[in-house]
């Protein structure tokens, strides 16, 4: 291990005795032979580790623990209260089509239905009209040929045609 790595380990893990036995032994061996790293270790001990080691242990007052407990319970309570609205939101998001899209599709379906039903009698009407026209033409063709030809050329002649048109 080089000095850089040793110094890195001294700063991070060695001071907290987090290094493994083998690594600790390596660091100690290096420190015995390297004055520079020994000085660095001493500086770290004095400025970083020792002030905390010498500091007295402070027990937090009871009210601090109570405040933490209350905050946790309040958070839990809120989460439980939020549950129904979360379910509603999930159902809306996953199961229901949103309202404008639903309204539009309903309107389109209704319009198509109206169009379909309004078209249906027209077709029937046209069919009836066409049938009657054919029948009247056939009946008029059975009349006197000269008279029939003349009448057909000039106008709608037969009484049925006059009635219909
Ligand atoms: Zn060194």
């Amino acid at each position: 291990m080089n000095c850089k790595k040793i110094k890195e380990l001294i700063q991070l893990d060695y001071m907290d005795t987090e290094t493994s036995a083998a690594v600790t032994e390596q660091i100690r061996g290096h420190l015995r032979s390297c004055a520079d790293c020994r000085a660095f270790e001493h500086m770290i001990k004095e400025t970083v580790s020792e002030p905390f080691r010498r500091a007295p242990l402070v027990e937090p007052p009871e009210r601090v623990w109570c405040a933490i407990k209350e905050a946790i319970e309040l958070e839990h309570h809120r989460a439980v209260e939020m549950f129904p609205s979360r379910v509603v939101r999930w159902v809306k998001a996953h199961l229901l089509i949103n309202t404008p899209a639903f309204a539009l599709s309903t309107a389109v379906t209704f319009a198509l239905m109206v169009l379909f039903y309004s078209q249906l009698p027209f077709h029937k009407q046209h069919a009836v009209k066409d049938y009657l026209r054919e029948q009247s033409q056939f009946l008029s063709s059975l009349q006197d040929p000269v008279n029939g030809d003349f009448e057909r050329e000039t106008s709608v002649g037969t009484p049925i045609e006059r009635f219909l048109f």
Side-chain angles (χ1 to χ4, degrees), residues 52-68:
F52 288 102
R53 202 160 289 163
R54 282 191 291 253
L57 268 177
V58 177
E59 191 70 30
E62 190 63 27
R63 63 188 167 81
V64 172
W65 291 117
C66 286
I68 292 168

Side-chain angles (χ1 to χ4, degrees), residues 9 12-25 27:
L9 286 169
L12 298 173
D13 300 328
Y14 177 69
M15 289 298 173
D16 298 326
T17 61
E18 294 282 313
T19 50
S20 67
V23 171
T24 303
E25 201 44 57
I27 291 168

Side-chain angles (χ1 to χ4, degrees), residues 1-4 6-7 10 30-31 33-38 40:
M1 263 194 274
N2 60 18
C3 292
K4 196 186 165 204
I6 294 288
K7 284 174 180 173
I10 286 170
H30 183 90
L31 290 175
S33 63
C34 180
D36 188 40
C37 286
R38 222 167 31 239
F40 182 78

Side-chain angles (χ1 to χ4, degrees), residues 46 56 82 91 104 110 116 118-119 125 134:
E46 287 300 310
M82 287 288 283
V91 169
L104 182 69
F110 184 72
F116 177 74
S118 67
Q119 286 296 305
Q125 262 185 329
E134 271 178 30

Side-chain angles (χ1 to χ4, degrees), residues 14-143:
Y14 177 69
M15 289 298 173
D16 298 326
T17 61
E18 294 282 313
T19 50
S20 67
V23 171
T24 303
E25 201 44 57
Q26 272 185 302
I27 291 168
R28 280 179 185 160
H30 183 90
L31 290 175
R32 276 194 289 273
S33 63
C34 180
D36 188 40
C37 286
R38 222 167 31 239
F40 182 78
E41 190 217 10
H42 183 74
M43 186 268 288
I44 290 288
K45 263 187 181 168
E46 287 300 310
T47 57
V48 180
S49 311
E50 285 305 311
F52 288 102
R53 202 160 289 163
R54 282 191 291 253
L57 268 177
V58 177
E59 191 70 30
E62 190 63 27
R63 63 188 167 81
V64 172
W65 291 117
C66 286
I68 292 168
K69 201 179 155 207
E70 272 172 29
I72 291 167
E73 278 171 358
L74 190 72
E75 191 64 34
H76 177 72
H77 192 65
R78 273 195 199 135
V80 171
E81 271 185 344
M82 287 288 283
F83 181 72
S85 67
R86 274 183 193 165
V87 169
V88 168
R89 241 180 293 145
W90 188 90
V91 169
K92 273 187 181 172
H94 293 87
L95 300 178
L96 298 177
I97 308 158
N98 63 36
T99 315
F102 183 70
L104 182 69
S105 68
T106 307
V108 168
T109 307
F110 184 72
L112 286 173
M113 280 169 70
V114 167
L115 201 68
F116 177 74
Y117 284 114
S118 67
Q119 286 296 305
L120 202 62
F122 267 109
H123 286 305
K124 281 184 177 169
Q125 262 185 329
H126 282 303
V128 170
K129 264 186 185 172
D130 289 343
Y131 175 75
L132 287 173
R133 192 184 291 123
E134 271 178 30
Q135 292 302 306
S136 67
Q137 277 168 359
F138 174 72
L139 288 170
S140 68
S141 75
L142 294 176
Q143 288 181 332

